[in-house]
Amino acid sequence: MNSDLNNILGDYALETRGLWRTFGKFEAVKGVDLRVPKGTVFGLLGVNGAGKSTIIKMAMGHLRPTRGEIKVLGRALGEDLVEIRKRVAYVSENRYLYEWMTVAESISFTRAFHETWDDGKAADLLKRFSLPPGKKVRQLSRGNRARLCLLLALSFNPELIILDEPTSGLDPIVRRDFIENIVSEIAEEGKTVLFSSHIVDEVERVADYVAIINEGEILLVSTIDDIKTSYKRVRYATNGTRPEVAGLPGVLAVENGRHEQVLTVSAWGDETLRSLGERGVKNPEVLPISLEDIFVNTVRAERERRAGL
Amino acid sequence: MSRNIFKAMLWKEWRETRWKWLAFAAAFHIPLVIAALVVAFRESARFDLYALSDPVAEQVFAFAIVFQSGFLITAGLFLLAFFAVGSIGAELDNQSMFFIFERPVKRWHVLLFKYAVGAVQTTACVGVSILSTLTAVYLVTAAFASNVSLAGSWDSFVLVASNALRGTVWTVVVSLMVYSATFLFSVWFEKWWIAVIAGAVSLVLMFIYLGGYLVDWVVSRATRATDGDSVNLELYSQLEFAPIFGMLLIASGLYFASQYVFARKEMR
């Protein structure tokens, strides 16, 4: 994984600039700039209705941007959609399949569309996923439908795999297998994976990069490691008087206990430590922070900012 | 669209529509066979085939021609909604079409393919219906009439055959035009039932606007002799270029309108 090198060279699997999309008066996506480096696992994280699927559908050419640019594998989306689709696999949230086809027929039908189809890989995945070839799609469980979609997406060796809410509706065991094993394996092959989810835990498990989206805007884009380095929870005793920390730069959330205060800080460093000291905070304890805490506090802070609180 | 994709799409269409074909064949031909048998076994239906060349038989033919043409133009066209909406509207409605759109294939190729397959289905069904009706009538008549004489019935056979071919061409062209209108609506509206209603309304409007001309072109004008109301059966075997070309032009326009709407359609 050469994400740093990719950043320098500007070699992105997906790149959007000033992407907007409105539905009537509703602004679903507002000026999104996104760069997905090649060879990485990139998680789009946001609550339902945040705009994740709209961004993905625009990237796949299913929706037209109101304005803005999209490049997929170095090609502008309007140039040659067919050429892009030869190299990009997309598994939508709704997992579109023909219900009347059997698993084997679905594979055979999809095979006809892809010159790069790998029969050996398809057979391997069929065996690994324990999919019954003679069973009709309508008889498959949600988990097996998801697996079949993934088989169809991976068997033509795409360079970029886009998964829109891939674990939606799956039970926890299938979900974990999907995320931890399958997505990780795809990434190990050097392919780029862009997946959207509202489940923080699964993004945290496999993603190299994460973008937090709220109400059509990107609030945060970074590597998971960088986020965890800069975002911290800080706990300290208040001893009856609570220090004034509301104006402190980077403070996303303040939790008040009976004898302590806990801050969620977005840019932890010496400067924050010094500022806290100036406000009378003594011996602050830096606590580990989960991506869920970061996500919740970032979204909440943005909502409060908009509400003028 | 590569050969492999074409073959795969053709296979899918066949698998999805084969029961429609069977249902159509059964719905149309079973009553036809029953009616033919009932008529054939009636004593009054057993007439001298040689008499078909008589002026009395010509009057019977005139009635049959008008009835057959009118029936096929109206009732037969209801089949079109069945095939036009089923060919693409249902796939857009249940969003299974997304499966194809996620593949490396041009959208307009997909629509052209669907249009062509649906057009072949509808025109084949309408055409085969006419031919099989006439074939059944002729076979039953020949089988149960007395005094069968090839020399005596040849002229009437030629009239029946030419009438059948002409009626087939006319009805196929009209059906193609109406199919194209219904196809446009099924692309336009995502809900199949809206497309059916819109298709039916367009069909009615087309008949209100063109109805007199259509009947004139297909039936009256060619079958009326210059001396008045008597039927000129020889003229009935003729086809007129202008209205047929006009209807094909309308069908093409409706097809391109479908492509225009489809190209701008978003998959939400």
Side-chain angles (χ1 to χ4, degrees):
Chain A
M1 203 174 309
N2 296 315
S3 57
D4 293 335
L5 189 63
N6 283 333
N7 284 332
I8 295 164
L9 296 174
D11 196 8
Y12 301 111
L14 177 71
E15 190 176 0
T16 70
R17 281 185 190 166
L19 197 62
W20 280 78
R21 174 65 207 215
T22 56
F23 295 102
K25 288 181 179 175
F26 175 66
E27 293 178 319
V29 175
K30 303 173 212 171
V32 165
D33 293 314
L34 201 63
R35 289 175 187 85
V36 179
K38 282 185 178 174
T40 61
V41 178
F42 196 106
L44 280 178
L45 185 60
V47 296
N48 291 327
K52 308 182 295 293
S53 294
T54 307
I55 292 171
I56 286 176
K57 282 181 179 177
M58 283 193 280
M60 286 305 298
H62 290 328
L63 290 176
R64 276 186 298 281
T66 305
R67 57 177 182 272
E69 291 174 24
I70 304 173
K71 275 188 176 181
V72 181
L73 297 170
R75 284 170 182 260
L77 203 59
E79 274 179 25
D80 192 350
L81 204 54
V82 171
E83 198 55 40
I84 288 171
R85 285 191 183 143
K86 284 180 181 173
R87 299 161 64 195
V88 180
Y90 169 52
V91 178
S92 63
E93 184 183 2
N94 296 320
R95 300 177 194 122
Y96 301 111
L97 290 163
Y98 286 98
E99 302 284 327
W100 56 268
M101 286 187 194
T102 63
V103 169
E105 284 170 342
S106 299
I107 294 170
S108 171
F109 181 65
T110 312
R111 182 183 187 277
F113 289 85
H114 298 283
E115 292 161 7
T116 54
W117 187 267
D118 184 341
D119 283 326
K121 189 164 194 169
D124 285 348
L125 289 169
L126 188 71
K127 195 175 172 185
R128 183 183 160 186
F129 293 161
S130 305
L131 287 168
K135 208 165 186 177
K136 287 194 184 296
V137 168
R138 72 167 70 96
Q139 296 168 328
L140 295 178
S141 64
R142 279 171 175 261
N144 276 347
R145 280 179 77 103
R147 290 185 179 109
L148 177 58
C149 284
L150 201 65
L151 182 154
L152 300 178
L154 298 180
S155 295
F156 66 93
N157 290 313
E159 293 167 48
L160 169 63
I161 296 138
I162 299 178
L163 309 168
D164 190 4
E165 297 276 4
T167 60
S168 166
L170 303 184
D171 64 60
I173 295 168
V174 178
R175 198 165 70 201
R176 185 162 289 202
D177 175 57
F178 202 95
I179 287 298
E180 287 190 353
N181 299 326
I182 299 167
V183 175
S184 302
E185 275 183 35
I186 300 168
E188 280 169 18
E189 291 176 18
K191 299 179 193 304
T192 310
V193 181
L194 168 66
F195 77 104
S196 71
S197 180
H198 63 276
I199 302 170
V200 185
D201 174 56
E202 60 188 35
V203 175
E204 191 171 13
R205 280 176 195 278
V206 291
D208 303 310
Y209 281 79
V210 65
I212 294 177
I213 302 174
N214 183 57
E215 295 180 16
E217 288 178 309
I218 301 267
L219 301 183
L220 170 69
V221 188
S222 189
T223 64
I224 296 273
D225 292 343
D226 286 349
I227 290 174
K228 286 197 169 176
T229 307
S230 60
Y231 281 71
K232 296 291 178 194
R233 274 162 67 84
V234 185
R235 182 169 62 193
Y236 47 85
T238 50
N239 298 325
T241 53
R242 288 179 181 145
E244 185 53 53
V245 292
L248 202 65
V251 171
L252 292 176
V254 181
E255 298 164 49
N256 292 312
R258 284 186 67 187
H259 304 295
E260 65 179 21
Q261 216 169 26
V262 181
L263 306 183
T264 303
V265 184
S266 65
W268 178 251
D270 292 341
E271 196 176 328
T272 317
L273 188 63
R274 195 179 61 249
S275 299
L276 285 173
E278 287 168 359
R279 286 165 169 77
V281 173
K282 289 175 184 170
N283 303 321
E285 182 188 1
V286 180
L287 305 170
I289 187 166
S290 67
L291 186 61
E292 184 163 330
D293 287 329
I294 296 169
F295 173 65
V296 169
N297 287 314
T298 304
V299 171
R300 192 179 284 160
E302 176 62 17
R303 285 179 180 171
E304 285 172 358
R305 187 188 67 77
R306 285 187 187 183
L309 294 174
Chain B
M1 189 183 283
S2 73
R3 196 175 165 179
N4 281 346
I5 297 174
F6 184 81
K7 280 167 67 179
M9 295 274 286
L10 211 54
W11 168 81
K12 184 184 85 68
E13 291 300 320
W14 165 243
R15 286 292 303 272
E16 285 180 337
T17 58
R18 58 185 173 170
W19 297 112
K20 285 184 192 172
W21 282 82
L22 191 65
F24 165 77
F28 190 85
H29 289 94
I30 291 172
L32 178 67
V33 169
I34 292 169
L37 288 174
V38 168
V39 169
F41 281 108
R42 285 168 66 96
E43 196 65 36
S44 59
R46 297 185 181 181
F47 58 91
D48 188 345
L49 191 65
Y50 189 80
L52 280 174
S53 58
D54 290 345
V56 176
E58 285 192 3
Q59 288 177 21
V60 174
F61 257 129
F63 174 76
I65 287 164
V66 173
F67 179 78
Q68 169 223 325
S69 303
F71 171 76
L72 288 168
I73 289 172
T74 53
L77 294 180
F78 281 103
L79 289 167
L80 302 176
F82 188 56
F83 281 112
V85 173
S87 74
I88 196 157
E91 277 193 71
L92 288 171
D93 189 13
N94 66 23
Q95 299 191 320
S96 54
M97 182 61 88
F98 275 48
F99 185 86
I100 304 272
F101 289 155
E102 289 163 12
R103 311 289 147 209
V105 58
K106 285 190 167 73
R107 237 192 227 202
W108 73 268
H109 285 183
V110 175
L111 195 74
L112 173 60
F113 179 87
K114 302 285 283 183
Y115 177 83
V117 168
V120 169
Q121 285 176 333
T122 47
T123 52
C125 281
V126 170
V128 167
S129 305
I130 301 171
L131 294 176
S132 59
T133 305
L134 291 172
T135 305
V137 168
Y138 207 82
L139 284 176
V140 168
T141 309
F144 291 92
S146 55
N147 298 325
V148 176
S149 157
L150 188 63
S153 61
W154 180 251
D155 287 345
S156 59
F157 172 76
V158 170
L159 287 174
V160 170
S162 58
N163 168 34
L165 285 173
R166 186 174 184 276
T168 304
V169 173
W170 273 113
T171 315
V172 161
V173 172
V174 175
S175 70
L176 191 65
M177 184 172 66
V178 181
Y179 163 77
S180 303
T182 317
F183 188 82
L184 170 62
F185 287 118
S186 73
V187 171
W188 203 336
F189 302 108
E190 287 180 10
K191 295 292 171 199
W192 65 268
W193 54 270
I194 299 178
V196 169
I197 293 169
V201 169
S202 75
L203 186 66
V204 170
L205 289 175
M206 203 178 291
F207 270 96
I208 289 172
Y209 186 70
L210 286 173
Y213 295 106
L214 274 179
V215 173
D216 193 41
W217 284 331
V218 179
V219 183
S220 308
R221 187 171 159 192
T223 56
R224 298 291 169 203
T226 49
D227 61 345
D229 291 338
S230 64
V231 176
N232 186 343
L233 287 172
E234 286 179 13
L235 269 178
Y236 194 76
S237 61
Q238 291 179 1
L239 292 169
E240 289 187 51
F241 174 75
I244 288 178
F245 181 73
M247 284 192 274
L248 289 176
L249 211 59
I250 292 171
S252 306
L254 291 165
Y255 160 71
F256 284 112
S258 305
Q259 284 284 13
Y260 180 84
V261 171
F262 198 55
R264 276 146 191 82
K265 203 167 189 64
E266 293 191 318
M267 302 295 147
R268 293 186 183 179

